[in-house]
Amino acid sequence: MRKIGVISDIHGNLAALKAVLELLDSEGCEEIIHTGDVVDIGPHSRECLELLLSRDDVTCLLGNHDRDFAVNQTQVRNLSHVPAEHKQQVFATLTEELRQRVRQFPLYTTRSCGGSKLLFCHYAFKQQPFSIETYHLLPIAIPPTADKLDALFAGVDADAVFFGHKHEPCDIMGQRLYVDVGSVGCHPEPKARAIVIEYDDTSWSYNRVFAPYDIEATHKSMLADIACGEQLYDFYFLLNKGK
């Protein structure tokens, strides 16, 4: 059996990223797909980008925060919980070389596994010729249901879609299988999340895997090193904790 590791929404959490990459390497994954949002929120956006880009086995897809960095958009978006002050600080730590690399991230990618077509993306996107300037994600389905996801991903040519963006794992069967990978390390639990897809010529399956990491070190760094760190930690790491 061959293996693909799938991760999403690192959001600058280097400790969680290192933990999950070590786990996926130990699982024997031949490649790793990150479905978007390397930067913002956590304290180490630059280090996370550099680590992923240093590996030949990682495919990075474009998330909305990655896109904002690529076009240097720091204004607060509608429904966004990430302040402009934070984005300005984060983007200032990133280089022009990294910006140009991120501009090349694809919107989605597909793989043929066990006779099925799997599509990977950050979330449902507007069906149009893609350019980074016109990048547009569709509104998040809350709560996610088969009907809502069927509508959002209408017209997608795939048997299964793996995505992120909401940070909350789900597995829903509609007209196709919908799998929210869940954020690597932008959630209340001290474990980095990932998915491992196993496949051969005739079949495929997937499992959720977890790697423990030092969430308190991430917390301390957010408070000490980044703009609006306490606000971001309270919203993304403490809100609804334990539910």
Side-chain angles (χ1 to χ4, degrees):
M1 300 290 282
R2 304 178 67 181
K3 294 183 179 182
I4 299 172
V6 191
I7 55 178
S8 189
D9 295 273
I10 292 167
H11 284 297
N13 191 336
L14 184 62
L17 175 58
K18 286 182 175 179
V20 84
L21 289 178
E22 182 177 352
L23 174 61
L24 294 177
D25 288 343
S26 71
E27 288 277 344
C29 294
E30 296 180 4
E31 71 165 325
I32 297 169
I33 298 174
H34 181 259
T35 72
D37 279 357
V38 182
V39 303
D40 283 344
I41 301 174
H44 299 113
S45 290
R46 177 177 57 81
E47 293 88 344
C48 289
L49 265 177
E50 290 175 343
L51 176 55
L52 289 178
L53 293 173
S54 72
R55 295 183 52 132
D56 294 333
D57 59 347
V58 174
T59 296
C60 289
L61 305 179
L62 189 68
N64 52 300
H65 289 265
D66 305 323
R67 184 266 182 188
D68 285 351
F69 164 58
V71 300
N72 199 30
Q73 180 169 326
T74 59
Q75 299 95 328
V76 178
R77 292 179 172 276
N78 184 36
L79 301 180
S80 175
H81 302 282
V82 180
E85 179 185 355
H86 172 79
K87 297 175 84 71
Q88 289 164 2
Q89 183 197 54
V90 169
F91 295 174
T93 69
L94 303 175
T95 65
E96 184 60 29
E97 179 183 358
L98 287 173
R99 176 174 281 112
Q100 295 307 315
R101 295 286 299 275
V102 172
R103 287 184 68 90
Q104 301 306 310
F105 286 1
L107 183 62
Y108 66 91
T109 192
T110 61
R111 298 291 184 272
S112 179
C113 299
S116 296
K117 184 177 182 180
L118 313 185
L119 183 141
F120 305 84
C121 60
H122 191 55
Y123 200 67
F125 50 88
K126 193 172 183 179
Q127 299 289 322
Q128 61 183 15
F130 170 68
S131 76
I132 202 160
E133 284 74 20
T134 60
Y135 177 87
H136 180 73
L137 294 180
L138 298 178
I140 295 174
I142 304 175
T145 64
D147 288 344
K148 290 177 182 177
L149 292 170
D150 283 341
L152 284 172
F153 288 96
V156 168
D157 178 20
D159 300 296
V161 181
F162 290 80
F163 57 92
H165 192 37
K166 185 64 170 64
H167 299 186
E168 298 175 1
C170 74
D171 307 86
I172 295 175
M173 179 60 73
Q175 295 175 7
R176 58 188 64 81
L177 175 63
Y178 302 103
V179 180
D180 188 327
V181 180
S183 172
V184 168
C186 194
H187 59 88
E189 298 178 318
K191 56 185 181 181
R193 299 166 172 161
I195 277 176
V196 175
I197 297 171
E198 296 189 55
Y199 69 99
D200 57 21
D201 291 339
T202 60
S203 64
W204 72 277
S205 62
Y206 71 95
N207 293 299
R208 295 188 180 274
V209 295
F210 308 92
Y213 79 98
D214 188 353
I215 196 172
E216 283 307 314
T218 296
H219 181 200
K220 290 177 181 178
S221 185
M222 288 181 70
L223 297 185
D225 301 330
I226 59 172
C228 311
E230 184 172 7
Q231 172 185 339
L232 291 168
Y233 189 86
D234 286 350
F235 183 83
Y236 287 99
F237 291 80
L238 295 183
L239 188 65
N240 298 320
K241 186 172 183 178
K243 294 185 178 181

